[in-house]
Amino acid sequence: MLPWEFNILLVSVILLLKKIYANELTFELPDNAKECFHDNLKIGSHFTLEFQVITGGNYDVDLELKSPTGKILYRETKRQYDQIEKTAEEAGVYQFCFSNEFSTFTHKTIYIDWKVDGDPEHEITQPGPRVAESALTMIERNVERIHENLEKSIDYQTHHRLREATGRARAEDLNQRVQDWSLGQFMLIIFVAIGTVLLLRSFFSDRKTSNMTWNR
Amino acid sequence: MCNSSYFVLIFSLSQLVSLSYSLYFHIGEAERKCFLEEIPDDTLVIGKYKVELYDENSGAYRPSTPGIGMHVEVKDPDDKIILSKLYTSEGRFTFTSHTPGEHIICLYSNSSSWFGKQKLRVHLDIDIGEHAIDYQQVGAREKLTELQLRVRQLLDQVSQITKEQNYQRYREERFRTLSETTNQRVLWWSLAQLVILVIAGFWQMRHLRGFFEAKKLV
């Protein structure tokens, strides 16, 4: 029905375009809270964890990355952003935990990007399996390069967006605070002015009666 | 010949399906877990999840009994609910954003409280924009060659970059408006406070002078 070359091409296309598993999540970590994520990995898979604190306090968080046997692969306190690239040496459940336990009342918004490079049995080591290598023309090579550059572009855009989100959150906070405090100070001025006058009047009204009695 | 091509297709499909659920986390039964996604408008978002219940007998997580479902609620930047549905313990939800901005995706289980305070394991995978496109399906459906499929992927990526740039322009405009509002507020409130301070001073002096004059005359 279909020529065998199409089969090969189909397999290679699918294996090429098979999404390297990537998961981006942004979540809120309340104060004094800890949030853990887990993933089951096979030996030899490359994984990358990238995180950035978007809003909250000093924009810092604790992170701990543990292997299935409990070995600590990464442990840092009060980091604002980082990128961790490792190769899985053991098969099993890897877990990474974010901790905001050092903070008493600020909750943090954290962005994470978890990328797993696939299992060795399905892994594509070259841009194209061996059988299709002879078919890689200049166009295909250029297409591959464009693809990589576009991926980088998207990545830069994401980081730009995250930084902007931090700035915007601060600006919104400032705007609100200017309003609240200015209104408060305005009212305070009025109250203090009236209050001072009333207080002074209260001092003299006692003496007034005593003066009257004395003058008589 | 037919058999081998079907076999190839099924084999390839199975490779893709095996990557479905990877990252997972635990939530309590009554707990609500929310994720923020800042996306441009007209963007497709596909979320896939699977819920497992902790089985005390075996000490492991099992695919939950029917009855445990996940309620998925999606709010758009204007705090309007654009998706609020109850799904089974394993499923996928899709929505397309109509306003650019921060969308909040919340998951919580609908289990009744007599299950107890048990922990649920939730596998989650959220794909946005061009990550949500299944190229294997596109290629098979439209019978594209490898090069055509790759070019299609490039087209989708470029269109996503364009949307994101557009969204950035929109964000910058809002940020500029916000800064100008703050500037205006600082200006007018400072002026108002200055004026009220001067008025208060004058009023105080006039009032007290009148008050003391009234006394001396008595």
Side-chain angles (χ1 to χ4, degrees):
Chain A
M1 195 176 87
L2 294 163
W4 67 271
E5 291 96 356
F6 186 79
N7 287 351
I8 303 282
L9 266 176
L10 190 63
V11 172
S12 53
V13 160
I14 286 163
L15 290 175
L16 278 167
L17 289 177
K18 186 158 88 153
K19 204 175 49 175
I20 294 172
Y21 175 71
N23 206 356
E24 287 181 339
L25 291 171
T26 311
F27 61 95
E28 200 173 282
L29 190 61
D31 46 304
N32 280 318
K34 188 169 167 172
E35 190 68 46
C36 290
F37 293 88
H38 317 255
D39 199 354
N40 203 343
L41 301 174
K42 301 219 164 90
I43 294 186
S45 14
H46 300 267
F47 59 90
T48 309
L49 172 65
E50 196 184 328
F51 74 94
Q52 187 170 340
V53 184
I54 306 180
T55 63
N58 281 327
Y59 309 107
D60 50 3
V61 76
D62 299 342
L63 172 62
E64 192 179 82
L65 174 64
K66 280 212 282 232
S67 78
T69 50
K71 195 171 75 172
I72 306 232
L73 298 172
Y74 176 93
R75 176 191 264 165
E76 288 277 339
T77 50
K78 304 207 174 171
R79 286 289 297 211
Q80 297 187 350
Y81 61 89
D82 207 352
Q83 187 169 354
I84 305 144
E85 279 181 46
K86 294 237 188 274
T87 310
E89 285 160 15
E90 307 153 16
V93 175
Y94 283 74
Q95 80 166 21
F96 53 95
C97 294
F98 292 94
S99 164
N100 195 21
E101 281 152 350
F102 56 85
S103 176
T104 35
F105 53 86
T106 42
H107 52 258
K108 311 256 161 81
T109 316
I110 302 174
Y111 160 88
I112 60 172
D113 188 6
W114 172 251
K115 284 205 254 285
V116 177
D117 217 353
D119 309 330
E121 40 189 35
H122 315 309
E123 198 178 64
I124 305 302
T125 49
Q126 304 296 319
R130 295 281 166 213
V131 66
E133 203 176 276
S134 55
L136 272 183
T137 62
M138 177 112 108
I139 289 185
E140 282 164 344
R141 249 190 285 270
N142 283 332
V143 161
E144 179 74 23
R145 286 226 318 263
I146 294 176
H147 175 69
E148 280 167 22
N149 282 328
L150 288 180
E151 296 252 287
K152 268 197 240 160
S153 243
I154 294 180
D155 204 31
Y156 287 143
Q157 278 187 329
T158 304
H159 284 109
H160 184 70
R161 191 185 68 221
L162 293 176
R163 286 264 171 250
E164 225 171 344
T166 308
R168 192 189 62 224
R170 262 281 186 252
E172 281 175 358
D173 207 21
L174 180 70
N175 191 29
Q176 194 56 39
R177 265 188 293 152
V178 160
Q179 179 83 334
D180 296 342
W181 280 92
S182 301
L183 186 65
Q185 282 183 342
F186 190 86
M187 306 310 291
L188 191 69
I189 290 172
I190 296 176
F191 288 147
V192 163
I194 298 177
T196 313
V197 164
L198 287 176
L199 194 65
L200 272 173
R201 280 169 67 129
S202 74
F203 288 156
F204 288 102
S205 46
D206 291 338
R207 227 185 273 177
K208 185 172 146 189
T209 49
S210 60
N211 263 345
M212 281 168 68
T213 50
W214 186 76
N215 274 342
R216 281 213 198 119
Chain B
M1 204 44 69
C2 289
N3 287 339
S4 63
S5 50
Y6 280 137
F7 169 74
V8 160
L9 197 59
I10 290 169
F11 167 76
S12 330
L13 272 170
S14 66
Q15 300 312 308
L16 286 169
V17 164
S18 66
L19 269 195
S20 304
Y21 308 111
S22 280
L23 196 65
Y24 63 84
F25 52 92
H26 299 124
I27 61 169
E29 278 194 50
E31 217 178 305
R32 196 184 157 109
K33 197 85 182 82
C34 290
F35 295 96
L36 287 83
E37 298 292 343
E38 205 176 337
I39 46 186
D41 66 344
D42 203 23
T43 308
L44 179 68
V45 177
I46 296 180
K48 294 193 278 266
Y49 74 91
K50 187 166 82 164
V51 178
E52 287 170 345
L53 186 62
Y54 185 67
D55 185 7
E56 274 156 5
N57 301 335
S58 59
Y61 283 83
R62 308 237 136 207
S64 54
T65 57
I68 293 228
M70 276 310 244
H71 203 107
V72 176
E73 191 182 84
V74 178
K75 277 203 224 165
D76 75 350
D78 306 318
D79 255 345
K80 217 169 45 163
I81 295 181
I82 57 177
L83 177 73
S84 180
K85 264 165 76 167
L86 185 65
Y87 293 88
T88 54
S89 61
E90 180 169 343
R92 57 184 257 166
F93 54 92
T94 315
F95 68 92
T96 309
S97 59
H98 297 290
T99 2
E102 222 172 58
H103 291 69
I104 305 176
I105 301 168
C106 285
L107 300 166
Y108 53 98
S109 73
N110 70 332
S111 62
S112 46
S113 54
W114 62 264
F115 265 104
K117 295 285 289 171
Q118 289 181 316
K119 284 255 175 225
L120 295 170
R121 175 177 288 182
V122 182
H123 298 250
L124 184 63
D125 185 10
I126 298 180
D127 294 319
I128 302 172
E130 60 105 12
H131 287 303
I133 299 173
D134 190 355
Y135 285 102
Q136 175 267 327
Q137 223 179 32
V138 168
R141 187 181 57 222
E142 300 183 19
K143 308 269 189 305
L144 301 175
T145 66
E146 177 191 341
L147 192 61
Q148 288 172 332
L149 203 54
R150 281 167 166 282
V151 170
R152 171 69 66 90
Q153 190 184 31
L154 289 182
L155 285 172
D156 291 329
Q157 279 189 306
V158 166
S159 114
Q160 168 154 340
I161 289 176
T162 313
K163 271 192 227 164
E164 184 82 28
Q165 296 264 27
N166 201 22
Y167 176 42
Q168 198 216 316
R169 205 175 44 80
Y170 167 86
R171 285 199 311 265
E172 226 166 347
E173 193 184 312
R174 279 191 39 182
F175 187 84
R176 200 171 359 118
T177 318
L178 187 68
S179 298
E180 290 194 354
T181 314
T182 309
N183 187 32
Q184 290 293 316
R185 280 186 182 175
V186 164
L187 180 68
W188 289 115
W189 276 113
S190 306
L191 256 153
Q193 283 179 352
L194 190 70
V195 163
I196 200 79
L197 208 63
V198 167
I199 290 177
F202 274 124
W203 174 81
Q204 273 186 332
M205 284 200 289
R206 225 188 49 195
H207 186 94
L208 283 174
R209 193 203 310 185
F211 179 68
F212 286 133
E213 278 174 356
K215 296 276 196 50
K216 280 183 200 154
L217 290 171
V218 163

